[in-house]
Amino acid sequence: SEAITQWVGSPMGAFLVALATTGSYISALALQIIQSTLLALLGVLLPLVTPFVLFPGTRHIFWGYVRWFAALLLWGALFRIVEQVMLSVHLSALTEPLRAAVEADSTWALAQVIPNSLAAGVVIHLAFFGLQFMVPALAYSVVNGVAQRTLR
C-alpha cells in the first residue's frame, strides 16, 4: 500500500487520477443535463400524447412515449452501476500487481509492475468512459426488451 501511495503522490499518478476523475465528472454532468432536458420535453408532451391511448390505431404512439420516459428514468441507475463497477475494477487492477510486487520485496519487480498497472488503469478508464456514453442506448434496449415481452 506504500507503493500505491507513492505512485498516486507522484506527478504522473496524480495527473492521471485527476484526468480520470475530471472526465468521469464531465461525462456524468453532460448525461444529467441531457437527461433533465429530455425529461422536461417529455413532460411537456404528455398532455399531447395522452389522448392517443384511447384509440387502438394510435395506442402504439402512447406506448412508445411511455417506453422513452421509462428509459430516461433508468439512465441515473445504470450510470451509477457503471460508475461503481469502474471504480472497483480500476482499483483492483491497480492494487493487485502492486501488492504482489511489494510482497516480493524486489525493486526490479516494482519497477516493472508500476507501468503495467498504469497502462491497465488507463485502458480500464477509457473502456468505462466509453461505456458511460452507452448508458442511454442500454436503458432504451432494456425498456424495449421488457416492453416487447409484456405489451404483446
Side-chain angles (χ1 to χ4, degrees):
S1 70
E2 185 178 322
I4 297 170
T5 307
Q6 288 177 356
W7 180 81
V8 172
S10 72
M12 186 63 160
F15 173 73
L16 288 175
V17 169
L19 187 66
T21 304
T22 304
S24 180
Y25 176 74
I26 289 172
S27 65
L29 187 64
L31 284 175
Q32 287 175 356
I33 289 170
I34 292 169
Q35 179 189 21
S36 61
T37 303
L38 289 173
L39 282 173
L41 177 67
L42 287 177
V44 168
L45 292 177
L46 179 62
L48 300 174
V49 176
T50 305
F52 289 128
V53 78
L54 298 175
F55 305 108
T58 58
R59 199 165 286 154
H60 68 281
I61 296 172
F62 176 77
W63 288 117
Y65 171 85
V66 169
R67 277 187 255 155
W68 266 106
F69 199 79
L72 282 172
L73 293 177
L74 276 178
W75 279 21
L78 291 175
F79 188 77
R80 294 295 173 249
I81 290 170
V82 168
E83 191 176 43
Q84 290 301 315
V85 170
M86 179 181 72
L87 290 174
S88 65
V89 168
H90 170 67
L91 291 176
S92 67
L94 181 64
T95 56
E96 291 304 319
L98 286 174
R99 184 177 299 133
V102 169
E103 288 173 359
D105 199 27
S106 168
T107 307
W108 177 250
L110 192 60
Q112 289 178 331
V113 166
I114 288 178
N116 292 339
S117 296
L118 178 65
V122 168
V123 167
I124 288 170
H125 267 295
L126 289 176
F128 280 110
F129 189 70
L131 186 61
Q132 287 174 346
F133 287 106
M134 287 191 264
V135 164
L138 179 63
Y140 183 74
S141 298
V142 166
V143 169
N144 278 331
V146 170
Q148 286 178 359
R149 295 191 189 281
T150 58
L151 295 179
R152 284 185 182 189

